[in-house]
């Protein structure tokens, strides 16, 4: 099955994105370690050999929606699981639930020469999001103080601590108000330290578009 028949409708599903063939476009950082500059982080490609396709979406840029769409087109049915009930996460693209006829859908490509080859021959797609919407989403998901039944990310305290440390502050805060979050980001950008941000707050031009 051709790539275009599988994934071209994604243009209308996700909204703002860039789609190119034969161009150096997408790579994403594996930035679990806070404070590592971009040139020290490990970069990889998620490649789908069956479709000669490289998708990329930065953190809080619609990754879940993109993967749901890709899963439905590649597997022939919608994502049937729940993280809470089935303990199966769609983001775990190398798990057994992403396999089709015992074959994995994705190949993790670390080798730089192989990446260069694929980026000049495969279809690559980068999903981007309105920067303000993305920041609000990241704030609500990772930083915001608990509101009603919404308890926030279990790692919220670590996110806040990392952000404040990058800002140059010591803190015992476990969450932030929106104005404090935005002020912290403004300080970090003004100091030229945006490249050290966690992936959820990292500028989009330093994610999928950084290496290529």
């Amino acid at each position: 099955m051709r790539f275009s028949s599988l994934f071209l409708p994604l243009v209308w599903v996700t909204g703002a994105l860039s789609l190119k063939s034969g161009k150096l476009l997408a790579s994403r950082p594996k930035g679990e370690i806070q404070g590592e500059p971009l040139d020290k982080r490990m970069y990889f490609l998620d490649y789908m050999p069956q479709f000669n396709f490289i998708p990329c979406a930065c953190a809080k840029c619609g990754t879940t929606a993109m993967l749901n769409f890709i899963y439905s087109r590649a597997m022939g049915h919608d994502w049937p699981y729940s993280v809470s009930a089935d303990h199966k996460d769609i983001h775990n693209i190398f798990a057994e639930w992403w396999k089709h006829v015992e074959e994995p859908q994705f190949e993790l490509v670390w080798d730089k020469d192989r990446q260069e080859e694929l980026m000049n021959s495969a279809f690559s797609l980068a999903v981007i999001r309105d920067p303000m919407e993305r920041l609000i989403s990241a704030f609500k998901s990772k930083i915001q103080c608990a509101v009603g039944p919404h308890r926030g990310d279990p790692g919220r305290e670590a996110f806040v601590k990392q952000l404040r440390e990058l800002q140059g502050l010591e803190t015992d805060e476990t969450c932030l108000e929106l104005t404090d979050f935005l002020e912290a980001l403004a300080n970090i950008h003004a100091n030229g330290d945006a490249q050290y941000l966690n992936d959820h707050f990292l500028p989009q031009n330093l994610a999928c578009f950084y290496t290529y």
Side-chain angles (χ1 to χ4, degrees), residues 99-148:
K99 291 183 179 180
H100 181 66
V101 195
E102 299 304 316
E103 290 295 325
Q105 292 284 355
F106 286 89
E107 173 189 341
L108 189 63
V109 181
W110 291 98
D111 181 77
K112 299 302 181 184
D113 291 337
R114 175 70 170 148
Q115 288 183 8
E116 194 78 20
E117 175 188 343
L118 289 174
M119 290 306 298
N120 280 292
S121 61
F123 286 93
S124 56
L125 178 147
V127 179
I128 60 176
R129 185 176 184 180
D130 178 274
M132 289 187 292
E133 287 187 2
R134 178 175 176 247
L135 277 185
I136 296 298
S137 177
F139 167 74
K140 289 182 176 180
S141 173
K142 306 299 179 185
I143 299 292
Q144 183 178 15
C145 300
V147 178

Side-chain angles (χ1 to χ4, degrees), residues 143-158:
I143 299 292
Q144 183 178 15
C145 300
V147 178
H150 178 71
R151 309 310 298 175
D153 192 287
R156 180 180 59 202
E157 184 174 348

Side-chain angles (χ1 to χ4, degrees), residues 12 16 72 130 133-134 139 169 176 178 181 202:
W12 290 276
S72 68
D130 178 274
E133 287 187 2
R134 178 175 176 247
F139 167 74
L169 300 176
L176 296 176
L178 179 59
F181 170 66
L202 188 72

Side-chain angles (χ1 to χ4, degrees), residues 167 180-192:
Q167 190 184 4
D180 295 325
F181 170 66
L182 295 177
E183 183 180 14
L185 287 180
N187 292 159
I188 291 166
H189 278 260
N191 292 334

Side-chain angles (χ1 to χ4, degrees), residues 12-205:
W12 290 276
V13 172
T14 60
L17 57 80
S18 176
L19 175 63
K20 297 184 180 181
S21 172
K23 301 292 184 181
L24 296 182
L25 176 65
S27 178
R28 81 180 188 193
K30 185 180 181 183
E32 288 85 3
I33 301 176
Q34 172 79 7
E36 286 287 340
L38 290 178
D39 59 356
K40 298 297 183 183
R41 298 188 189 187
M42 296 181 292
Y43 285 82
F44 59 91
L45 297 178
D46 294 327
Y47 174 58
M48 301 185 77
Q50 182 181 357
F51 307 114
N52 194 31
F53 175 52
I54 305 169
C56 177
C58 62
K60 305 308 296 180
C61 288
T63 309
T64 303
M66 180 187 76
L67 290 176
N68 270 287
F69 186 84
I70 291 175
Y71 184 94
S72 68
R73 304 296 287 186
M75 305 295 277
H77 58 84
D78 291 338
W79 173 253
Y81 306 111
S82 164
V83 174
S84 57
D86 303 306
H87 306 290
K88 295 181 178 179
D89 188 351
I90 197 169
H91 298 87
N92 190 354
I93 58 177
F94 298 99
E96 60 180 14
W97 46 86
W98 265 98
K99 291 183 179 180
H100 181 66
V101 195
E102 299 304 316
E103 290 295 325
Q105 292 284 355
F106 286 89
E107 173 189 341
L108 189 63
V109 181
W110 291 98
D111 181 77
K112 299 302 181 184
D113 291 337
R114 175 70 170 148
Q115 288 183 8
E116 194 78 20
E117 175 188 343
L118 289 174
M119 290 306 298
N120 280 292
S121 61
F123 286 93
S124 56
L125 178 147
V127 179
I128 60 176
R129 185 176 184 180
D130 178 274
M132 289 187 292
E133 287 187 2
R134 178 175 176 247
L135 277 185
I136 296 298
S137 177
F139 167 74
K140 289 182 176 180
S141 173
K142 306 299 179 185
I143 299 292
Q144 183 178 15
C145 300
V147 178
H150 178 71
R151 309 310 298 175
D153 192 287
R156 180 180 59 202
E157 184 174 348
F159 282 110
V160 171
K161 183 176 184 293
Q162 293 168 350
L163 193 68
R164 285 303 202 191
E165 287 180 349
L166 191 54
Q167 190 184 4
L169 300 176
E170 293 186 7
T171 182
D172 56 2
E173 298 164 295
T174 59
C175 63
L176 296 176
E177 297 297 329
L178 179 59
T179 51
D180 295 325
F181 170 66
L182 295 177
E183 183 180 14
L185 287 180
N187 292 159
I188 291 166
H189 278 260
N191 292 334
D193 291 329
Q195 64 167 321
Y196 297 95
L197 284 164
N198 177 277
D199 285 358
H200 296 86
F201 319 125
L202 188 72
Q204 294 178 73
N205 65 305

